């Protein structure tokens, strides 16, 4: 599409500017329209400086006018166009002696067209698109303007030199009064043209500054603010893009453009120094333009100094939690990328005065291109340390309210000096607020503060945030929790999991959008019937996921958050042996359990649940191996694994087989130690008189809430194949004595493990040869890599 065709498609405001542009005699719109392709294919800028090229293009133009005239002559409805084109050719004949003047006129019109197109494109982009999603190039736009301005100031200088030469000649020329009068009239016309060019050049600079100010506003007030908010959220797990390459490119281009304008204004000073006249526009209009350029440059350069990577400890929980006497790192960046400043600007580090610290380490580094992957201007501080200053009776903060140490917020300060091309600007930037602790036991509370601040506060200067901490809405809180699981286990929380948590916090409601949770309820108040807060419970689960369950959480095997009532409702609709994994609600440091459905001979479903596994258990044996080797005794004393299908219907080995780590047969190292096999006997399948109440009394070892439910009559189910065949003995099965329905599992297991008969069948010589530390006592199961697994409904 030609430039002319693009002009015709603009909105009314900009198309009208194009019509106004051609509302003059120098270059008719009809010629521009019918010769558009040829006109845009020529180098008119070169022709305006090269007489031979201008003469050639002038002759081709006249030929094209003749050809177009001939076409109109063959068309019945083109009489007026035929007449007009004859007149246009006659008018152009006046440039026969100075064809470069016509070339300059055509070039000027094309440049003005591009300006209209650029302004229209800018207005559309600013109003309808996010800056970061724009597909147009700043560099292309700026280069067009710079190219135009450079050409204009060259022409201005040439005009001035020509006028000065003719004026000096006029003064020295000995001629008649009539000739002098004609020369004076010619000189006046030249001066008028020069004055007009100066005014146009100053207007062009003003127009460019208007556009640059719009771009500055979008860049600093929108894009940079949006990037800082994305970075703030990414510090607490949000999967947002925080790269700076695009911002660096845009800052560099617009700052370079402003420095170029600064040079143009300096060039105007040189021209005025050579020649000026009455009512010269440059002395009056240049100073405010220079002031605008300096203000734009200062604003852009100050905003371009940012913290690229927020403070963090190598082994810390996350960003923004620092511990005294432990090294941390932080990186700052200047988004104006210029090689002349490489290793020139020194950045210094300090900390705000809310709490007294000494900052130790390398406190001054130069911005350089060697510490960045893409050659950006970076200062990477990798070995900084905060040392608490003891003030009076201790190092506690100087706040007036009763804030804990983990609610005190501090900011790391970075300062440098920008000196380049005559512009001197002091630069300063701050980190996001950090929490400084002195003991690792404070890390959990400190991370809670970081989460709460960065979830709710978009003002990084608000270091007194926790003096009047606002409440979080459920959408904000749920999103933040989802980010935590995404960070720990590569999968966030789905709607069902979030709804379960919302019900736990607010009860059953139609919508939770207006529900709020306070900082105190999140981090300080204990949950009902527990001795720990909501955050402590959630953080324990997150730690469990991160250390032991990340793969299972990532692939969706763990349902996680589901109430006991809903768990039973889901399982009792499924086939025998269907199970699911959920987090315990009663364990402070995080626990996970599994429940499965079994059917009695009369088809009555029953859901059974094991005591939750904690980090202590999972540290010894992985959950997939526990699921693989879990056994119970059913009728005829057959040991079976009741877990067959991961909810809703995935075969267990298909779901977890890739995670199994244990060897079987002679490869198993436990074979040389243990010859005895102990399994659970299922009360449900061994007695036709057992009922749900009795089963609950036997299996209730988890204190979590159970919602009683009534179940409709169910047709008898046939046990699946996984419960029907005989199992070979595996020394990795769960160990316990055969139980009758009225025996407490924990008591019986404890008595059995303390019985002298437990040693029957064990080769003592081999035990002593293989391991001096191996002991057969009440901790035997843990030593073998298996936690105790009593059952609970």
């Amino acid at each position: 599409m030609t430039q002319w065709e693009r002009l015709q498609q603009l909105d009314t405001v900009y198309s009208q500017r194009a019509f106004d542009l051609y509302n003059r005699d120098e270059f008719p719109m009809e010629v521009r329209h019918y010769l558009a392709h040829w006109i845009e294919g020529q180098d008119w800028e070169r022709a305006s400086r090269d007489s031979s090229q201008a003469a050639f293009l002038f002759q081709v133009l006249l030929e094209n006018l003749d050809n177009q005239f001939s076409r109109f002559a063959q068309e019945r409805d083109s009489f007026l166009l035929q007449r007009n084109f004859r007149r246009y050719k006659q008018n152009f004949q006046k440039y026969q002696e100075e064809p470069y003047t016509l070339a300059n006129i055509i070039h000027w019109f094309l440049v003005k067209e591009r300006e209209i197109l650029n302004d229209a494109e800018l207005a559309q982009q600013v109003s309808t698109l996010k800056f970061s999603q724009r597909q147009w190039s700043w560099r292309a736009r700026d280069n067009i303007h710079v190219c135009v301005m450079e050409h204009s100031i060259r022409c201005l200088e040439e005009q001035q030199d020509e006028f000065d030469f003719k004026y000096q000649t006029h003064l020295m020329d000995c001629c008649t009064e009539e000739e002098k009068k004609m020369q004076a009239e010619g000189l006046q016309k030249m001066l008028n043209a020069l004055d007009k060019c100066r005014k146009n050049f100053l207007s062009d600079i003003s127009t460019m500054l208007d556009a640059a100010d719009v771009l500055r506003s979008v860049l600093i007030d929108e894009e940079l603010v949006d990037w800082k908010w994305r970075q703030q959220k990414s510090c607490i797990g949000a999967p947002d893009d925080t790269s700076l390459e695009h911002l660096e490119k845009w800052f560099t281009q617009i700052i370079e453009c402003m420095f170029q304008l600064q040079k143009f204004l300096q060039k105007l000073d040189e021209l005025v120094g050579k020649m000026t006249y009455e009512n010269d526009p440059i002395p009056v209009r240049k100073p405010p333009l220079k002031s605008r350029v300096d203000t734009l440059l200062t604003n852009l350069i100050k905003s371009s100094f940012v913290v690229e990577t927020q403070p963090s400890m190598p082994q810390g929980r996350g960003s923004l939690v620092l511990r005294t006497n432990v090294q941390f790192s932080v990186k700052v960046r200047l988004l104006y990328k210029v090689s002349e400043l490489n290793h020139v600007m020194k950045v210094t580090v300090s900390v705000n005065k809310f709490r007294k610290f000494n900052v130790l380490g390398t406190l001054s580094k130069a911005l350089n291109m060697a510490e960045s992957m893409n050659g950006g201007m970076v200062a990477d501080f990798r070995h900084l340390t905060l040392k608490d200053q003891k003030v009076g009776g201790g190092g506690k903060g100087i706040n007036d309210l009763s804030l804990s140490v983990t609610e005190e917020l501090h900011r790391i300060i970075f300062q440098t000096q920008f000196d380049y091309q005559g512009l001197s600007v002091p630069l300063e930037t701050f980190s996001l607020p950090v929490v400084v602790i002195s003991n690792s036991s404070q890390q959990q509370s400190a991370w809670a503060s970081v989460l709460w601040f960065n979830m709710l506060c978009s003002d990084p200067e608000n270091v007194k945030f926790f003096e009047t901490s606002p409440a979080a809405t459920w959408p904000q809180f749920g999103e933040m929790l989802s980010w935590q699981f995404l960070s720990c286990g590569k999968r966030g929380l789905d709607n069902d999991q979030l709804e379960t948590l919302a019900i736990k916090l607010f009860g059953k409601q139609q919508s939770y959008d207006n529900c709020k949770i306070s900082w105190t309820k999140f981090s300080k108040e204990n949950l009902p019937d527990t001795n720990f807060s909501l955050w402590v419970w959630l953080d324990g689960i997150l730690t469990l996921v991160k250390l032991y369950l990340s793969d299972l959480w990532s692939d969706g095997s763990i349902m996680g958050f589901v109430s006991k009532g809903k768990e039973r409702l889901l399982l009792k609709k499924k086939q025998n042996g269907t199970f699911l994994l959920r987090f315990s609600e009663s364990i402070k440091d995080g626990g996970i359990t599994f429940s499965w459905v079994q059917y009695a001979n009369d088809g009555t479903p029953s859901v059974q649940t094991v005591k939750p596994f904690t980090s202590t258990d999972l540290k010894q044996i992985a959950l997939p191996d526990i699921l693989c080797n879990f056994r119970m005794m059913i009728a005829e004393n057959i040991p079976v694994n009741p877990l067959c299908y991961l909810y809703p219907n995935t075969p267990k080995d298909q779901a977890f087989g890739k995670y199994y780590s244990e060897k079987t047969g002679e490869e198993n190292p436990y074979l040389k130690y243990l010859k005895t096999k102990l399994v659970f006997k299922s009360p449900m399948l061994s007695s036709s008189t057992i009922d749900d109440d009795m089963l609950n009394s036997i299996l209730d070892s988890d204190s979590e809430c159970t919602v009683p439910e009534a179940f409709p009559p169910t047709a008898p189910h046939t046990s699946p194949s996984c419960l029907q065949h005989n199992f070979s003995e595996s020394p990795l099965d769960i160990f316990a004595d055969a139980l009758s329905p009225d025996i407490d599992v924990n008591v019986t297991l404890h008595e059995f493990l303390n019985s002298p008969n437990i040693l029957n069948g064990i080769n003592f010589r081999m035990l002593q040869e293989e391991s001096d530390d191996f002991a057969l006592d009440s901790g035997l199961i843990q030593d073998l890599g298996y936690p105790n697994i009593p059952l609970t409904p």
Side-chain angles (χ1 to χ4, degrees), residues 293-337:
V293 171
D294 291 345
T295 300
L296 273 170
L297 269 173
T298 301
N299 198 339
L300 286 163
I301 291 169
K302 281 188 174 182
S303 300
S304 70
F305 190 42
V306 299
V307 178
E308 179 177 8
T309 305
Q310 294 294 331
S312 63
M313 298 184 296
Q315 304 300 325
R317 174 65 181 272
S319 299
L320 307 176
V321 175
L322 306 181
R323 183 177 170 184
T324 54
N325 303 317
V326 175
Q327 286 187 347
F328 68 93
S329 62
V330 60
K331 183 189 296 184
V332 294
R333 185 168 182 167
L334 183 69
L335 297 178
Y336 176 40
K337 184 177 177 181

Side-chain angles (χ1 to χ4, degrees), residues 513-574:
D513 290 348
N514 296 322
C515 294
K516 293 186 176 182
I517 179 171
S518 67
W519 165 242
T520 300
K521 187 173 182 180
F522 171 64
S523 66
K524 298 181 179 181
E525 294 179 356
N526 289 340
L527 290 169
D529 303 321
T530 71
N531 61 348
F532 49 85
S533 68
L534 173 63
W535 168 240
V536 169
W537 174 62
L538 290 169
D539 190 52
I541 292 172
L542 287 166
T543 302
L544 200 69
V545 169
K546 182 177 182 179
L547 295 179
Y548 305 108
L549 305 172
S550 59
D551 289 337
L552 299 183
W553 177 258
S554 176
D555 68 16
S557 298
I558 299 174
M559 187 172 292
F561 296 104
V562 56
S563 67
K564 236 180 178 184
K566 185 174 181 180
E567 171 191 69
R568 293 167 184 266
L569 185 63
L570 294 175
L571 290 176
K572 289 183 178 182
K573 295 178 181 178
K574 293 298 178 179

Side-chain angles (χ1 to χ4, degrees), residues 617-631 641 652-653 656-671 730-735 781-782 784-787 789:
D617 305 318
L618 299 180
K619 186 176 182 179
Q620 299 178 66
I621 182 169
L623 184 59
D625 292 330
I626 293 175
L627 298 172
C628 174
N629 296 291
F630 183 74
R631 294 290 186 271
N641 189 327
K652 179 189 64 178
D653 290 342
F656 301 103
K658 58 185 174 182
Y659 303 121
Y660 295 159
S661 62
E662 297 174 353
K663 300 177 181 180
T664 59
E666 294 300 325
E667 297 179 4
N668 195 306
Y670 294 133
L671 280 179
S730 169
L732 294 180
D733 290 339
I734 304 303
F735 303 100
I781 296 177
Q782 282 82 352
L784 292 176
Y786 278 86
I789 312 178

Side-chain angles (χ1 to χ4, degrees), residues 445-475:
S445 296
W447 184 241
S449 297
V450 169
L451 292 177
W452 202 257
F453 177 90
N454 291 286
M455 171 179 58
L456 296 177
C457 186
S458 59
D459 178 13
E461 297 183 13
N462 186 10
V463 294
K464 296 185 178 181
F465 173 79
F466 285 102
E467 290 183 2
T468 55
S469 175
T473 64
W474 171 247

Side-chain angles (χ1 to χ4, degrees), residues 60-112:
V60 177
L61 173 62
L62 296 183
E63 292 176 8
N64 283 328
L65 291 174
D66 286 336
N67 294 335
Q68 195 64 44
F69 175 84
S70 299
R71 293 191 190 96
F72 292 145
Q74 299 172 11
E75 299 174 2
R76 296 175 113 186
D77 299 331
S78 302
F79 175 75
L80 291 178
L81 287 171
Q82 183 182 359
R83 180 178 177 278
N84 288 344
F85 267 71
R86 182 188 291 118
R87 179 166 56 86
Y88 298 150
K89 181 180 178 182
Q90 292 172 352
N91 292 339
F92 285 144
Q93 294 291 346
K94 64 183 178 182
Y95 297 108
Q96 183 76 40
E97 299 300 324
E98 296 181 345
Y100 58 84
T101 302
L102 179 60
N104 192 50
I105 289 172
I106 296 176
H107 173 66
W108 184 86
F109 273 88
L110 293 176
V111 167
K112 292 300 180 182

Side-chain angles (χ1 to χ4, degrees), residues 309-522:
T309 305
Q310 294 294 331
S312 63
M313 298 184 296
Q315 304 300 325
R317 174 65 181 272
S319 299
L320 307 176
V321 175
L322 306 181
R323 183 177 170 184
T324 54
N325 303 317
V326 175
Q327 286 187 347
F328 68 93
S329 62
V330 60
K331 183 189 296 184
V332 294
R333 185 168 182 167
L334 183 69
L335 297 178
Y336 176 40
K337 184 177 177 181
V338 53
S339 57
E340 290 87 342
L341 295 178
N342 191 28
H343 289 284
V344 173
M345 298 172 62
K346 299 289 185 181
V347 181
T348 59
V349 185
S350 58
V351 66
N352 69 336
K353 303 302 182 183
F354 184 61
R355 183 176 166 195
K356 298 290 185 179
F357 292 104
N358 289 324
V359 186
L360 308 179
T362 304
L363 304 184
S364 178
K365 293 196 71 173
L367 289 169
N368 66 88
M369 297 180 176
E371 295 186 339
S372 173
M373 295 294 292
N374 69 336
M377 298 286 290
V378 166
D380 191 358
F381 296 88
R382 302 178 185 178
H383 307 291
L384 297 177
T385 306
L386 295 179
K387 184 176 179 59
D388 209 342
Q389 294 183 12
K390 299 299 181 181
V391 181
K396 183 70 171 64
I398 60 174
N399 56 69
D400 296 329
L401 300 180
S402 57
L403 294 180
S404 67
V405 169
T406 58
E407 292 174 321
E408 290 182 359
L409 301 178
H410 314 274
R411 302 181 74 194
I412 311 298
I413 306 168
F414 305 90
Q415 296 172 313
T416 187
Q417 182 70 28
F418 179 91
D419 291 298
Y420 183 63
Q421 295 195 14
L423 185 69
S424 182
V425 183
L427 304 183
E428 185 175 72
T429 191
F430 298 82
S431 72
L432 287 170
V434 299
V435 176
V436 182
I437 60 177
S438 56
N439 192 288
S440 59
S441 63
Q442 299 170 316
Q443 194 161 55
Q444 186 178 63
S445 296
W447 184 241
S449 297
V450 169
L451 292 177
W452 202 257
F453 177 90
N454 291 286
M455 171 179 58
L456 296 177
C457 186
S458 59
D459 178 13
E461 297 183 13
N462 186 10
V463 294
K464 296 185 178 181
F465 173 79
F466 285 102
E467 290 183 2
T468 55
S469 175
T473 64
W474 171 247
Q476 291 172 317
F477 187 75
E479 184 178 44
M480 180 272 288
L481 286 185
S482 185
W483 293 339
Q484 303 316 296
F485 282 90
L486 182 65
S487 299
C488 291
K490 303 175 185 177
R491 180 170 69 96
L493 299 175
D494 59 31
N495 291 334
D496 290 337
Q497 293 163 337
L498 287 171
E499 184 180 21
T500 299
L501 288 170
I503 294 173
K504 181 179 180 67
L505 291 175
F506 310 113
K508 186 68 175 176
Q509 300 195 26
Q510 287 291 106
S511 172
Y512 300 94
D513 290 348
N514 296 322
C515 294
K516 293 186 176 182
I517 179 171
S518 67
W519 165 242
T520 300
K521 187 173 182 180
F522 171 64

